[in-house]
Amino acid sequence: MTETMGWILGGWLLAMLAGVPLYATMGLACFAFVFLAGINPAIVPQKIGQAANSFPLLAAPLFILMGNIMNAAGITDRIFGFARVCVGWLRGGLCHANILASVIFAGMSGSAVADAGGVGTLEIKAMKDEGYDAETAAAITAASATIGPIIPPSLPMVIYGVSADVSIGGLFLAGVIPGLLMAGSLMAMVTVVARRRGLERSRFPGLRDLGVAYARAHWALMTPVILFGGMIAGIFTPTEAAAVAATYALFLGLFVYRDFRLRDLPDLIVETVNTTGVVLALVMTAAALGWCLSISRIPQTIGPMIVDLVGNPLLFLLAVNVSLLLVGCFMEALAAMLILIPILTPAAAQFGIDPVHFGLIFVLNLMIGTVTPPVGVVLFVTSKIAGISFAAMSRAILPWLVPLVGVLLATTLFPPLATWLPNLVMGR
């Protein structure tokens, strides 16, 4: 069975490189395996259906819907306005405001693309109006957007948790400290760049203006507090938190800020269904392919080979970092995640690596991949918003990868950065 599955995987990779949709290649690989192995092919749709029948996975469409409502209701404008008043007076103030707004929005959207396309539109326009060049505005926006899937809630962590059978709540908690470190490292680099370029400080707007900006954004700022506080207190699970967040966003848009019209909701639901459909198609066929890999003993074969070859948990993690960063340069994050989880997680388990720590490293690597050329999806979004070429965007982002990779390396070498908070809250 192992040899048969090996040939099938080779054909699957060739089909994927030829441009066949990923979900189709995975489904065809599953059917090829069961036919050649003499297994009833009815098992494939059964496994696909079982993957969809997942309560934790229900969080994905709900978080997507929440992000869509937040953008449509003008909540992103209030968040950026508050961030601008808080730190806009520093040297390179709008760069700092850009990063702070991404941190706040990260507690609502859980998606790098949503961050870049939502609040990023306001950030890039404001920075260009203030005299920043388009490349700098786009690069900082793209780099700060990677914080979105690290600070909870996080759509990639939901997918990882479901696919790898790891606590989604634990993954959410694991992302808090590294996410804040990402923001801090980017702001530190902004400080260095601002001094080098001789950017001027602005006048502090005063406590009154700060109070007005906070009052304007207060209810929006309560979203991550409600989500995170509810999960920590054990009031609701991550899936239930997603439902609460979507309802809260709708309430804000309709009754508090009144920038959202009920007749806009059907279009947002359709948009959410379209996005969710792509995600679920990949997750379901990946689950079926994972089952095929399992019974063909591919992970059980590759895992010991990796352990024997590397021999050290730290070297394994460093090798995983290099591999995932390279994969992220050429493959979309969700696709890479679904392909590599069944292969790498068993090896990590054999090394005794904490599954939450490994999950955080896995997701962080692939989120950095969203801003690395030549296939960084966030780069495409921000370059389009800024009105610059993808080549110019690719050059501009390179210096800003340094602080992000630095946080990745720190999290890899010092696991408590990821595991301390889950251990404290969940008693792991």
Side-chain angles (χ1 to χ4, degrees):
M1 274 193 181
T2 301
E3 185 177 350
T4 300
M5 194 62 193
W7 283 107
I8 291 173
L9 289 177
W12 164 54
L13 290 173
L14 289 175
M16 187 176 64
L17 292 174
V20 180
L22 182 59
Y23 72 89
T25 62
M26 290 191 290
L28 290 172
C30 293
F31 278 110
F33 173 76
V34 296
F35 274 119
L36 293 176
I39 301 172
N40 187 343
I43 193 68
V44 175
Q46 289 176 13
K47 292 298 178 182
I48 290 175
Q50 287 174 7
N53 186 24
S54 169
F55 181 71
L57 193 58
L58 186 60
L62 292 171
F63 280 131
I64 293 171
L65 177 61
M66 178 191 66
N68 288 337
I69 294 173
M70 288 281 186
N71 283 329
I75 292 172
T76 51
D77 180 43
R78 298 171 184 272
I79 292 170
F80 182 62
F82 173 69
R84 187 170 184 172
V85 173
C86 284
V87 296
W89 52 275
L90 296 171
R91 194 187 301 271
L94 278 185
C95 302
H96 290 293
N98 188 322
I99 297 165
L100 179 59
S102 292
V103 171
I104 298 171
F105 196 66
M108 306 176 192
S109 71
S111 165
V113 174
D115 189 315
V119 70
T121 304
L122 301 171
E123 294 166 345
I124 291 175
K125 182 181 184 303
M127 291 181 70
K128 290 172 70 175
D129 291 345
E130 194 84 3
Y132 289 87
D133 59 88
E135 287 80 5
T136 298
I140 294 175
T141 300
S144 63
T146 59
I147 301 170
I150 304 303
I151 292 179
S154 167
L155 181 59
M157 287 185 184
V158 171
I159 303 302
Y160 184 93
V162 171
S163 302
D165 194 24
V166 177
S167 166
I168 296 174
L171 290 170
F172 278 8
L173 291 167
V176 175
I177 295 176
L180 294 176
L181 287 176
M182 291 167 71
S185 64
L186 287 172
M187 294 180 82
M189 185 162 178
V190 165
T191 302
V192 173
V193 171
R195 287 183 180 276
R196 186 177 301 164
R197 295 187 181 181
L199 299 179
E200 297 293 331
R201 289 177 179 269
S202 300
R203 182 183 61 83
F204 179 68
L207 295 178
R208 186 177 186 282
D209 289 346
L210 183 61
V212 170
Y214 175 80
R216 186 169 179 264
H218 169 75
W219 295 109
L221 296 174
M222 287 297 102
T223 306
V225 175
I226 293 171
L227 281 175
F228 202 49
M231 285 188 286
I232 288 179
I235 298 173
F236 37 66
T237 66
T239 303
E240 292 165 346
V244 170
T247 304
Y248 183 68
L250 187 60
F251 175 78
L252 290 184
L254 289 174
F255 303 111
V256 178
Y257 298 134
R258 300 183 181 179
D259 292 330
F260 181 75
R261 295 166 298 183
L262 198 58
R263 64 174 177 268
D264 296 332
L265 186 58
D267 290 337
L268 292 183
I269 292 175
V270 170
E271 183 181 347
T272 300
V273 170
N274 288 336
T275 305
T276 304
V278 174
V279 173
L280 286 182
L282 290 170
V283 171
M284 290 188 294
T285 51
L289 183 61
W291 174 80
C292 294
L293 290 171
S294 178
I295 66 169
S296 64
R297 300 191 62 79
I298 292 287
Q300 293 88 335
T301 302
I302 293 178
M305 289 174 56
I306 295 175
V307 172
D308 292 339
L309 181 64
V310 177
N312 182 281
L314 180 57
L315 291 178
F316 169 73
L317 287 177
L318 294 175
V320 166
N321 283 342
V322 173
S323 301
L324 290 179
L325 287 174
L326 289 174
V327 167
C329 291
F330 301 98
M331 188 178 292
E332 194 271 334
L334 181 58
M337 188 179 299
L338 295 173
I339 292 169
L340 296 174
I341 283 173
I343 297 173
L344 294 179
T345 51
Q350 290 196 33
F351 276 116
I353 297 170
D354 188 298
V356 169
H357 179 222
F358 187 71
L360 187 278
I361 291 174
F362 202 107
V363 172
L364 181 51
N365 269 291
L366 294 178
M367 291 310 101
I368 294 175
T370 64
V371 292
T372 53
V375 192
V377 62
V378 172
L379 298 185
F380 283 103
V381 174
T382 50
S383 62
K384 183 177 180 181
I385 294 171
I388 60 176
S389 68
F390 186 78
M393 180 76 245
S394 299
R395 289 191 296 270
I397 193 63
L398 293 179
W400 301 95
L401 294 177
V402 174
L404 299 179
V405 174
V407 173
L408 170 62
L409 187 60
T411 307
T412 302
L413 297 176
F414 192 58
L417 290 175
T419 59
W420 176 78
L421 193 56
N423 290 343
L424 177 68
V425 174
M426 304 177 69
R428 296 171 63 249

